Amino acid sequence: MMIENETLLENLNKWFGYQSFRAGQRDSITSVLEGNHTLSVLPTGTGKSLIYQYCGYSLDGLVLVVSPLLSLMDNQVFQLNQSGEKRAAALNSMLSKKERRLVESRIDYYKFLFLSPEMLQSPWLLQKLNTMKIALFVVDEAHCISQWGLDFRPEYLLLGEVREKLGNPLTLALTATAPQLVREEIIHALHLNDRETAIHLSSPNRDNIFYQFLEVDAHEKDSLLVQMMAAYTPPGIIYFSSKKRAEEVCWLLKQATTLRIDTYHADRTSEDRQTIQRQFLNGNLDVICATSAFGMGINKQDIRFVIHYHMPNAIEEYLQEIGRAGRDGEQSIATLLYSQSDAVFKYKMIRETRLTETLVANKYSEVELEAMAFSDSDLAMLQIITAQALSPHSAMQLIEKRIQTRVNNFTAIGKLITRRDCKREGVADYFKYGDTEKPDWCCSSCQVDTAELLLSIKNSYNYSKEEGKSNDNWKEIIKGLFLL
């Protein structure tokens, strides 16, 4: 299907109300509409969902969207429903029997059906889908396929087999972070032919996010963070590697500021997490102190800052998390605080595993594994070992390879942090993207004084916690903080 550029833009305006495409959207849409299996790698927050929605309206048949998170599915369905598209539903394990039966009974009615990967293991559902015309098979957050990736989901490994059972429908894989090795693994796992799959890469950098890296003594982080809260414009997210530290810093900031702050991590109840997420999205919270559990599915347009209190595990994780900022296109800032002691501690954590050859030789039930309280990484490895029926020796080789991959990823983010040259160019080099244009506000290697940047964010957002303070006073505060 060949579509003229003028028609593409007319449909964009008619269906979505936009006058122009964002970077990467047009090429990806054109590729799919020309009948190509397509892997699109676009930065977080650049409108990947519009690609399959646009293609869905252009093609006859059902659009199946496989998603790793229930919150992500619910959010997409909600947004489609809000825009007037009522032919959208999610089918996942969280539905009650009554809700699931209702969705299944109306499956012929839907245009967009969002599914968790485990739902596609249902014989009844596969049989039903085989009687329908599938316009497009979409794999959202496709990097979850990679067994070497940070967000690996073992059930994603079954999607290639599912595609074959559905007659190898036209496929679109979407992700924000996929180096070459991960891109190759996505294509292989989905049982796609690499010579027949179009790959579209956009710059991994977001022009409206300033990258700031500050080396500080670990003992000075808290006092610096308190000062930063006076200069930064909410709303924002502060990421931690430790749930305990997130709670401690949250309490500290509540005492030291007037900001509305709460925590989000795996130890909070499901009800707490849902309430906190809703409050943040609705503007009832200014700052979230979170672990990586606060991630995919968070689509708040006006986040102005993301701070990393601890070093991320990899460049991919860093980009995913700072990509929560500035989704409205307005200038935002991402600040990473790092210290040598943090790096040493994180390196030890990355190399840790409780998996031994004796342990992997045994067959444990899911209940037994849950009682053993393995880390997410160890559990993922056990699932791969079980699914591939690996011998204990082969299992240990796989575990060691995964640990080495984690070490390599951590080394890469360490090199980016300590890099003296442009950070934005360092990110592009890592993803082998090639040349990258520098925005007016680039990174802390290119611009040390961020006083003007922070003032412009505060002024453009028309937000001030202390009325009556002049811009000159703000400038003095900010200069004192960041001319380190």
Side-chain angles (χ1 to χ4, degrees), residues 1 3 7-18 21 29 33 50-51 53-59 80 83-85:
M1 178 189 297
I3 300 181
T7 304
L8 283 171
L9 290 173
E10 287 177 358
N11 288 339
L12 179 70
N13 183 253
K14 179 173 68 175
W15 293 334
F16 303 99
Y18 299 136
F21 289 103
I29 289 168
L33 297 185
L50 181 139
I51 297 172
Q53 290 174 21
Y54 189 109
C55 293
Y57 289 131
S58 302
L59 300 170
L80 280 166
S83 69
E85 177 54 80

Side-chain angles (χ1 to χ4, degrees), residues 346-353 400 403-404 406-407:
K346 204 67 178 285
Y347 180 79
K348 289 179 179 178
M349 283 183 59
I350 284 170
R351 292 200 58 86
E352 281 183 356
T353 179
E400 184 55 41
I403 290 173
Q404 187 56 53
R406 295 206 308 249
V407 169

Side-chain angles (χ1 to χ4, degrees), residues 59 164 184 251 268 278 313 317 348 383 385:
L59 300 170
E164 291 182 345
E184 292 171 357
W251 183 87
R268 301 297 300 261
R278 184 165 56 249
N313 292 312
E317 179 182 297
K348 289 179 179 178
Q383 288 176 296
I385 291 164

Side-chain angles (χ1 to χ4, degrees), residues 324-350:
R324 314 292 166 216
R327 293 192 172 195
D328 55 6
E330 296 297 322
Q331 183 65 56
S332 305
I333 184 169
T335 300
L336 190 155
L337 308 176
Y338 68 97
S339 66
Q340 290 295 326
S341 59
D342 282 349
V344 172
F345 174 72
K346 204 67 178 285
Y347 180 79
K348 289 179 179 178
M349 283 183 59
I350 284 170

Side-chain angles (χ1 to χ4, degrees), residues 56-119:
Y57 289 131
S58 302
L59 300 170
D60 182 31
L62 174 68
V63 177
L64 283 179
V65 184
V66 183
S67 179
L69 286 182
L70 304 183
S71 60
L72 199 56
M73 283 185 261
D74 291 341
N75 185 49
Q76 292 292 347
V77 172
F78 176 77
Q79 289 187 2
L80 280 166
N81 291 165
Q82 287 291 101
S83 69
E85 177 54 80
K86 304 304 181 184
R87 300 169 301 163
L91 197 54
N92 56 57
S93 58
M94 292 300 291
L95 297 178
S96 66
K97 285 186 178 181
K98 183 178 179 180
E99 291 170 328
R100 179 172 172 176
R101 285 171 183 160
L102 178 62
V103 173
E104 291 175 344
S105 69
R106 291 163 51 85
I107 202 166
D108 295 298
Y109 164 77
Y110 298 118
K111 179 66 178 178
F112 300 96
L113 184 60
F114 295 81
L115 299 156
S116 56
E118 55 268 20
M119 292 302 301

